[in-house]
Amino acid sequence: MRSVNFPEFVWIWNERLGLGTPRHQLRMARWLAARRHAHDRELLLMAFRSSGKSTVVGLFCAWVLFTNPDTRILVLAADFALAKKMVRNVKRVIERHPLTQGLKPRRRDQWAADQFTVNRPGELRDPSMIAKGVGANITGSRAEIVICDDVEVPNTCDTAPKIGRAHV
């Protein structure tokens, strides 16, 4: 199977949904792909409200797992429910994207709401993707990628001590 770059992966997904790919989302996809290719480790994606940042980042997670199923991704958000929402979205992409067929495991216990493990060659202790809230204990977690999505919200950064905690 030929490799598919991330912007193409996004375009295929949007076509499947009958949507166009907005120029700014394509720009985000190109930027994320370039940063991954350059092995950059600390990224900050800033875009206007409702621009689709979380959607593009979720698709990026699905694409990373498509290109390297042994990758482990930790999603941190202001609270657990918000992190779980992103994990659930990535699961849906993996279930429905034409290129990710075969990643969904047969065992239901590998496909939970807050974490999942794709079919992968390695036998790794940690799941492929897991959701945690900012205040959760993540000691001992292993992840090659940490996604911080909506970690700074009023209940996590309305005081100086909370602001320090939100910048994990």
Side-chain angles (χ1 to χ4, degrees):
M1 180 175 167
R2 70 181 189 85
S3 74
V4 172
N5 66 35
F6 180 51
E8 186 176 5
F9 187 88
V10 171
W11 182 84
I12 291 168
W13 176 252
N14 286 337
E15 283 294 307
R16 182 169 183 90
L17 297 179
L19 303 171
T21 303
R23 184 176 295 151
H24 68 277
Q25 287 185 2
L26 190 55
R27 186 173 176 204
M28 286 185 233
R30 287 182 181 136
W31 182 78
L32 284 168
R35 300 292 47 88
R36 175 116 173 120
H37 181 72
H39 303 287
D40 289 344
R41 294 179 41 86
E42 295 177 11
L43 308 176
L44 176 63
L45 176 61
M46 292 176 50
F48 57 89
R49 194 173 214 16
S50 300
S51 64
K53 292 180 299 291
S54 295
T55 299
V56 172
V57 170
L59 285 165
F60 179 73
C61 293
W63 175 75
V64 166
L65 292 171
F66 164 68
T67 58
N68 183 3
D70 280 336
T71 304
R72 295 165 297 184
I73 302 169
L74 168 63
V75 177
L76 288 174
D79 61 34
F80 178 64
L82 198 54
K84 195 163 78 168
K85 188 175 169 183
M86 175 171 274
V87 170
R88 189 174 56 244
N89 182 53
V90 174
K91 281 176 49 180
R92 285 191 194 118
V93 172
I94 289 172
E95 290 170 341
R96 296 181 176 109
H97 198 292
L99 298 175
T100 56
Q101 303 307 302
L103 283 181
K104 183 180 176 186
R106 294 190 197 285
R107 293 177 39 202
R108 289 180 55 87
D109 65 326
Q110 298 290 308
W111 207 243
D114 62 332
Q115 65 183 32
F116 64 86
T117 301
V118 298
N119 287 327
R120 59 187 179 193
E123 189 56 45
L124 305 169
R125 181 185 74 156
D126 293 287
S128 301
M129 193 164 191
I130 187 166
K132 295 287 184 180
V134 167
N137 180 359
I138 58 171
T139 305
S141 297
R142 302 287 183 266
E144 287 78 28
I145 297 175
V146 177
I147 304 291
C148 296
D149 186 44
D150 291 329
V151 292
E152 290 181 340
V153 297
N155 70 337
T156 63
C157 64
D158 59 350
T159 66
K162 287 182 180 179
I163 291 171
R165 190 179 81 197
H167 290 279
V168 178

